[in-house]
Amino acid sequence: MKRTGLVLAATAALTVIGCTNMTPREQGTVSGAAIGAAAGAGIAAISGGNGWTGAAIGGVIGGTVGNIKGKQQQEQRGY
């Protein structure tokens, strides 16, 4: 269990470092996918479904929405 926490912390740190050179569209896609996956897994777990399936579906939907939102922000800023 201790090792899993270390792996998750390292992954989170690398993800944050990797986001510094991203465009708003790319950041929106990654953020949306992460939030969607977490929400999908949580909803699936609460409703008695498969958490992995919920995470996959939520990640795809969240990534799509984040991509669209990031594109709008990018266009407003003139990137």
Side-chain angles (χ1 to χ4, degrees):
M1 194 60 138
K2 197 175 199 182
R3 186 175 187 182
T4 303
L6 180 62
V7 170
L8 289 175
T11 302
L14 289 174
T15 301
V16 170
I17 292 169
C19 290
T20 56
N21 294 327
M22 291 181 155
T23 65
R25 188 174 191 174
E26 293 167 338
Q27 288 177 349
T29 303
V30 171
S31 299
I35 293 168
I43 292 168
I46 290 170
S47 66
N50 185 333
W52 290 108
T53 303
I57 294 169
V60 170
I61 293 170
T64 303
V65 172
N67 185 287
I68 293 167
K69 181 68 176 166
K71 180 182 176 191
Q72 290 172 349
Q73 289 177 347
Q74 195 168 334
E75 289 172 351
Q76 288 175 350
R77 294 179 185 170
Y79 280 94

